[in-house]
Amino acid sequence: MKMEYLDAFNYDAVHERAKYVLEHTKRLKPEAEKECLEWFDTHCAASKRTIEEAKSAIPGGVQHNLANNYPFALNCVKGEGAYLYDIDGNKYIDFIGAGGPSILGNNDPDVHDAVIKTLNTTGYLTGLYHEYEYKLAQKVKEFFPSVDKFRMMGSGSEACMAAIRAARAFSGKKNIVKLKGCYHGISDQLIYDIRYCDSKTSFAAGIPDECFGNISAVMVNDLNALEDRFKENEKNGGTACFIMEAMGQDSGVLPTTREYHKGVRELCDKYDVILIYDEVVTAFRLALGGAQEYFDTRADITVFGKVIAGGFASAGGFGGREDIMSVLTAGVAHIAGNKIVVGGTLTANPISCCAGYVTLCKLQKEDIPNKLNQAGIEFTRKLTDLANKYDIPAIISSTGSVLQIDLTGMKHVATFPEYSRDEQAAKRQFASARMTDFAMALAANGILTAGGNKTFLNYCSLDILDDAFEIYEKVFSMYA
């Protein structure tokens, strides 16, 4: 089957391709798999040893959820530009991008110098106001017309928690609706139906069932299902908010369409539901104004994370309409009432705000989002031709500089009702193993990706995409 270039806005075409990939998934040749595994043993001995040592103090030895752990995790000691380096001295093209925030590349010199200056003058934490808080908030407002006020938080998870709390406090309603499979952090309620469609409480160990009494999930791009849910909720406390990953599940593996964004906005207006865009990945990347500029729409509350501090820690935030944001106080509220409680010791620290402000200024000055988007489309087209050359069924698409290079279709399994529950479980297990193989083979040949298929371009990587293409060709040639 010769594959045509996939437009990420064309959900039907992506879905059709996914079915074919699920039914015709290819595997690494046994000799190629053996060669890759031997490479890890001979070239990554120090990583293997130190990760084993770490297991004595850290569950599983690894703490970051983006780490490729097969055959074992890599110990990264340096990040510079387009590359990451492990403790054994191996160099890798970084397509993980820490999940997206390293949009300028690793250890950008302009951000680095500004942070050092702030560190040498103000320090890293005071607990008091600093001018970079205002500068960063002003930049967010400049790029996002839907944001009248902005509040810095410590992470995307915290920002999502605060956003739904603000929506409930403002609206007086209690129910939350989300998209199936979308991830909005690790809070008790929002852990519902994450990772893949219809997972429901599969990832909710340690969370009482009653935490999910006021949250539900609907399928992406199905406006009828969303309206039906809003109608149902009207009978039981109303819908406070609809929260969605702006690109769709897992940064676009199940992509949203332009028409869906328009329809969602209309339905939220019709039923007086607060629309929350989770732009943890998309903000300032798809465009300076994030997915809202990219899809030409508007949210009531926008959640930010990751890139809001240029990749530095304690990064997240949310902003929105003046009236909704009025439920927040300056600092932490000490008077009981209808003001919500948010905060954190590390929130809006000078270092994170400085890094974020300098990052956003550089993205604007050098028109980086547009350059990344163009490169993402071109690279996706080339990889599609490459997959055809080696007769590899694949779902290869891009939403700007966020690429899906999927040789398994795993995240699509639950979208095909013709598969029984047992068939879904078997296909998901098989596809998950093949995704792990792909990530392992890429790493053994010099590319690190998030889970083997989700791929984030950064500004520095634009100069080495030809090198990356050669690695993908080598890995594709390993399949039978």
Side-chain angles (χ1 to χ4, degrees):
M1 174 186 178
K2 185 179 187 301
M3 299 179 297
E4 301 296 329
Y5 167 74
L6 281 178
D7 183 341
F9 299 125
N10 189 344
Y11 175 82
D12 290 339
V14 171
H15 196 238
E16 181 181 357
R17 179 78 57 79
K19 183 64 176 293
Y20 184 82
V21 171
L22 279 167
E23 300 291 346
H24 300 86
T25 301
K26 288 197 170 184
R27 302 187 62 160
L28 287 171
K29 300 171 185 175
E31 61 271 21
E33 183 177 7
K34 180 180 178 183
E35 176 186 331
C36 291
L37 291 171
E38 289 177 348
W39 183 90
F40 278 95
D41 284 336
T42 57
H43 290 79
C44 304
S47 277
K48 185 175 184 179
R49 184 187 73 252
T50 54
I51 293 297
E52 283 299 316
E53 292 171 352
K55 290 179 180 179
S56 66
I58 299 170
V62 179
Q63 303 193 69
H64 204 288
N65 60 358
L66 291 174
N68 292 313
N69 298 327
Y70 180 73
F72 46 81
L74 298 173
N75 182 341
C76 178
V77 296
K78 178 183 177 182
E80 184 176 44
Y83 300 102
L84 295 173
Y85 299 80
D86 68 21
I87 192 173
D88 293 278
N90 301 302
K91 181 173 74 171
Y92 307 88
I93 294 174
D94 177 19
F95 281 163
I96 298 177
S102 302
I103 190 170
L104 297 179
N106 293 290
N107 204 13
D108 178 78
D110 295 325
V111 177
H112 176 275
D113 291 349
V115 165
I116 293 298
K117 182 178 179 180
T118 301
L119 186 63
N120 288 338
T121 54
T122 307
Y124 47 81
L125 188 64
T126 66
L128 301 177
Y129 171 79
H130 188 273
E131 65 177 350
Y132 271 120
E133 294 179 47
Y134 174 70
K135 288 184 175 181
L136 178 58
Q138 282 292 89
K139 269 297 174 194
V140 173
K141 289 182 58 178
E142 178 185 344
F143 296 156
F144 282 79
S146 64
V147 173
D148 296 320
K149 295 288 178 64
F150 168 78
R151 179 69 182 259
M152 193 76 165
M153 300 297 291
S155 68
S157 287
E158 290 181 15
C160 286
M161 292 164 60
I164 63 171
R165 188 175 298 170
R168 281 174 162 158
F170 178 79
S171 68
K173 303 175 183 179
K174 65 180 183 180
N175 290 297
I176 303 164
V177 182
K178 67 185 291 280
L179 287 180
K180 291 183 178 183
C182 282
Y183 178 76
H184 303 291
I186 61 171
S187 63
D188 282 2
Q189 288 180 90
L190 292 175
I191 213 78
Y192 181 79
D193 213 292
I194 64 168
R195 303 298 186 194
Y196 55 82
C197 294
D198 290 322
S199 64
K200 297 183 179 178
T201 59
S202 299
F203 296 94
I207 304 173
D209 289 343
E210 51 265 32
C211 285
F212 306 115
N214 298 117
I215 188 167
S216 58
V218 295
M219 188 60 193
V220 68
N221 298 320
D222 190 339
L223 291 171
N224 291 329
L226 181 60
E227 183 165 23
D228 288 344
R229 188 58 46 83
F230 286 170
K231 288 179 179 178
E232 291 169 11
N233 286 346
E234 287 293 306
K235 306 170 187 175
N236 181 32
T239 303
C241 61
F242 174 57
I243 183 169
M244 59 182 283
E245 277 191 69
M247 283 192 294
Q249 180 196 331
D250 205 16
S251 297
V253 69
L254 297 181
T256 51
T257 65
R258 291 190 184 277
E259 295 76 17
Y260 186 67
H261 283 268
K262 299 292 186 183
V264 165
R265 178 69 270 174
E266 291 172 2
L267 286 176
C268 286
D269 289 340
K270 179 178 178 180
Y271 291 93
D272 195 24
V273 173
I274 292 172
L275 174 56
I276 303 176
Y277 270 29
D278 182 340
E279 296 226 35
V280 165
V281 172
T282 53
F284 320 114
R285 175 178 276 277
L286 294 189
L288 289 176
Q292 291 168 64
E293 179 181 338
Y294 194 78
F295 290 102
D296 188 25
T297 187
R298 157 184 66 84
D300 299 309
I301 298 177
T302 303
V303 172
F304 303 91
K306 305 187 183 219
V307 78
I308 198 71
F312 274 74
S314 299
F318 70 109
R321 287 170 17 202
E322 176 94 33
D323 54 348
I324 297 175
M325 297 300 288
S326 70
V327 301
L328 279 79
T329 64
V332 178
H334 293 284
I335 301 175
N338 65 346
K339 301 291 186 181
I340 69 170
V341 177
V342 298
T345 303
L346 302 179
T347 296
N349 66 77
I351 299 301
S352 295
C353 291
C354 168
Y357 174 73
V358 174
T359 296
L360 299 192
C361 288
K362 187 165 184 175
L363 292 174
Q364 181 181 33
K365 181 180 179 181
E366 301 188 26
D367 193 29
I368 291 173
N370 286 329
K371 293 176 181 177
L372 284 171
N373 288 346
Q374 181 179 351
I377 293 171
E378 292 175 356
F379 195 57
T380 302
R381 289 183 181 277
K382 289 182 65 176
L383 288 177
T384 300
D385 292 340
L386 190 64
N388 282 324
K389 176 180 177 180
Y390 290 97
D391 193 27
I392 297 177
I395 311 161
I396 302 176
S397 64
S398 66
T399 307
S401 58
V402 183
L403 281 56
Q404 298 288 340
I405 307 171
D406 184 358
L407 275 57
T408 71
M410 185 186 79
K411 297 295 180 69
H412 295 259
V413 171
T415 67
F416 295 102
E418 59 267 35
Y419 294 143
S420 68
R421 185 180 296 272
D422 288 343
E423 286 174 327
Q424 285 191 14
K427 286 184 178 298
R428 191 175 290 116
Q429 182 178 15
F430 177 78
S432 178
R434 302 293 75 75
M435 184 182 292
T436 299
D437 291 343
F438 184 42
M440 179 270 296
L442 286 172
N445 286 279
I447 289 179
L448 296 179
T449 63
N453 67 315
K454 187 167 56 179
T455 302
F456 297 97
L457 302 187
N458 65 63
Y459 194 34
C460 293
S461 70
L462 300 188
D463 295 328
I464 52 91
L465 288 180
D466 287 344
D467 296 338
F469 183 82
E470 291 181 4
I471 293 173
Y472 276 104
E473 176 152 30
K474 182 178 180 182
V475 171
F476 281 7
S477 72
M478 295 178 171
Y479 279 80

